Amino acid sequence: AVFLWASKGNSTAVRLFVGDRSAIVEKDYEERVAHGTKRMGFVADHVRVADDSLVVGGEFLEAIRKVEANLPKRDAKVYGEKPCLPMSGNLLYQYHFNHRML
């Protein structure tokens, strides 16, 4: 099994592979946690005999990262008042890339 860790706010579609076997894992991360494949066999079965190597990796097909940012408080003093106290609204930044083949 191969696992991928990600932080809260991520949504990913990843092809994880070991040797010649692969699996696509699509998950939304609500907290920092790992998601991964089911058992893909024994490690010894995936080792290339020719050069005694093991290929393990991942290919990101799609990823979305959402980050909430507090709006800065107006007229905040440099000393004494925190300049980034939460207000009635927040900004949501989203970064999205897609490498899927249709």
Side-chain angles (χ1 to χ4, degrees), residues 2 15-23 37-42 45-46 55-57:
V2 180
R15 184 175 70 92
L16 299 172
F17 57 90
V18 175
D20 295 333
R21 299 192 65 188
S22 68
T37 65
K38 294 181 179 179
R39 185 169 179 261
M40 298 176 83
F42 293 104
D45 296 338
H46 297 292
V55 177
V56 178

Side-chain angles (χ1 to χ4, degrees), residues 40-96:
M40 298 176 83
F42 293 104
V43 172
D45 296 338
H46 297 292
V47 174
R48 277 192 244 165
V49 179
D51 58 358
D52 199 30
S53 66
L54 175 66
V55 177
V56 178
E59 175 186 5
F60 280 87
L61 305 173
E62 184 175 13
I64 300 171
R65 173 77 172 138
K66 295 179 184 176
V67 178
E68 287 190 38
N70 295 326
L71 296 174
K73 185 176 179 182
R74 291 181 180 231
D75 302 325
K77 298 175 185 174
V78 176
Y79 299 103
E81 239 180 302
K82 293 182 182 177
C84 291
L85 293 174
M87 295 179 61
S88 60
N90 288 330
L91 293 175
L92 176 67
Y93 298 99
Q94 181 172 322
Y95 178 74
H96 181 202

Side-chain angles (χ1 to χ4, degrees), residues 22-33:
S22 68
I24 294 178
V25 178
E26 297 186 36
K27 293 293 178 182
D28 294 327
Y29 292 84
E30 299 298 325
E31 60 182 331
R32 181 169 162 69
V33 69

